[in-house]
Amino acid sequence: MHLKKPEGFSWMNEPRKWEIKEGKLFVHTQSKTDFWRRTQYGFIRDNGHFWYINQQGDTEISVKITGEYKDLYDQAGIMLRIDDENWVKAGVEFVGGVQQASAVVTRTFSDWSVISLSDNPASLWIKVKRGADYVEISYSRDSVHFQLQRLAYFPPSSEFFIGLMAASPDGDGFEVVFDDFQIFRLPMPRAGE
């Protein structure tokens, strides 16, 4: 999807600084922003930046993420959201000076899984598939060879929101660029498949 005229998209927690230029979405995150629910830390944060569109049916979304991560938990990626208690975020999260391929699946309580990317790649591609009752999360360094990171149950819903997210829970904010952004509907499986 070329981002010159992204019809139908809206912001949840719009950042003060963002623009679409040359088909790319540039976002500068604001400080103390995050998406998290309860687990271990005991708090709820729902003030990260989320640029989304309404969607129905089985869907696949992918994007190239290039970030200037610098502070603990700086993060950017894809979000799929039913409501404030049921959502998924998948992308890059910066922990201990190292990028992590990160996935958080939230069903009232958040969980978190990471895969260390110790070479801190310049960019990472993330792909999320939304099926009837699941999400499948994959990542790639080259946009061709994707590695499965997570397959998780996710509640069925007739409609959901899907798009791009970024946040800076601990830092002062950072610049991230989203490119090569694609959303498409997946064909319905035939009986017996």
Side-chain angles (χ1 to χ4, degrees):
M1 175 183 293
H2 196 61
L3 296 179
K4 273 194 171 173
K5 292 185 177 178
E7 305 268 335
F9 280 82
S10 302
W11 277 108
M12 174 182 168
N13 307 318
E14 181 176 354
R16 283 191 290 267
K17 188 176 173 186
W18 70 277
E19 67 176 328
I20 294 173
K21 183 171 60 175
E22 299 173 355
K24 303 174 185 179
L25 174 64
F26 293 77
V27 175
H28 189 92
T29 61
Q30 291 172 218
S31 63
K32 310 302 179 203
T33 52
D34 198 6
F35 293 103
W36 188 260
R37 287 190 65 85
R38 298 193 171 111
T39 305
Q40 184 176 349
Y41 309 111
F43 58 70
I44 296 173
R45 299 256 166 85
D46 204 32
N47 65 345
H49 312 301
F50 179 36
W51 190 67
Y52 68 89
I53 192 168
N54 289 28
Q55 192 73 8
Q56 297 175 340
D58 293 358
T59 302
E60 183 175 286
I61 179 173
S62 62
V63 70
K64 176 185 178 185
I65 306 164
T66 307
E68 297 176 8
Y69 316 104
K70 55 189 173 71
D71 294 309
L72 182 64
Y73 305 131
D74 279 354
Q75 59 193 264
I78 291 170
M79 177 171 257
L80 187 156
R81 187 178 176 102
I82 297 172
D83 55 33
D84 62 347
E85 292 192 347
N86 295 278
W87 50 263
V88 173
K89 64 179 179 179
V92 177
E93 191 154 351
F94 198 59
V95 181
V98 176
Q99 292 180 38
Q100 313 285 326
S102 174
V104 174
V105 178
T106 299
R107 296 185 314 274
T108 307
F109 293 86
S110 293
D111 69 30
W112 185 31
S113 58
V114 295
I115 297 171
S116 179
L117 307 171
S118 56
D119 59 329
N120 287 326
S123 300
L124 198 71
W125 283 259
I126 300 295
K127 181 168 33 177
V128 175
K129 291 182 183 178
R130 179 8 170 192
D133 64 354
Y134 71 91
V135 291
E136 181 182 300
I137 299 165
S138 304
Y139 69 95
S140 172
R141 296 167 185 268
D142 62 9
S143 80
V144 176
H145 304 94
F146 279 84
Q147 174 70 43
L148 177 65
Q149 179 179 358
R150 184 88 184 268
L151 177 66
Y153 172 79
F154 197 64
S157 61
S158 59
E159 190 174 61
F160 53 91
F161 309 104
I162 196 162
L164 306 175
M165 62 75 53
S168 292
D170 283 10
D172 295 328
F174 72 102
E175 185 86 17
V176 60
V177 181
F178 297 98
D179 191 13
D180 193 18
F181 178 46
Q182 300 177 61
I183 301 177
F184 57 91
R185 295 279 304 269
L186 298 173
M188 294 293 290
R190 295 185 180 124
E193 289 186 342

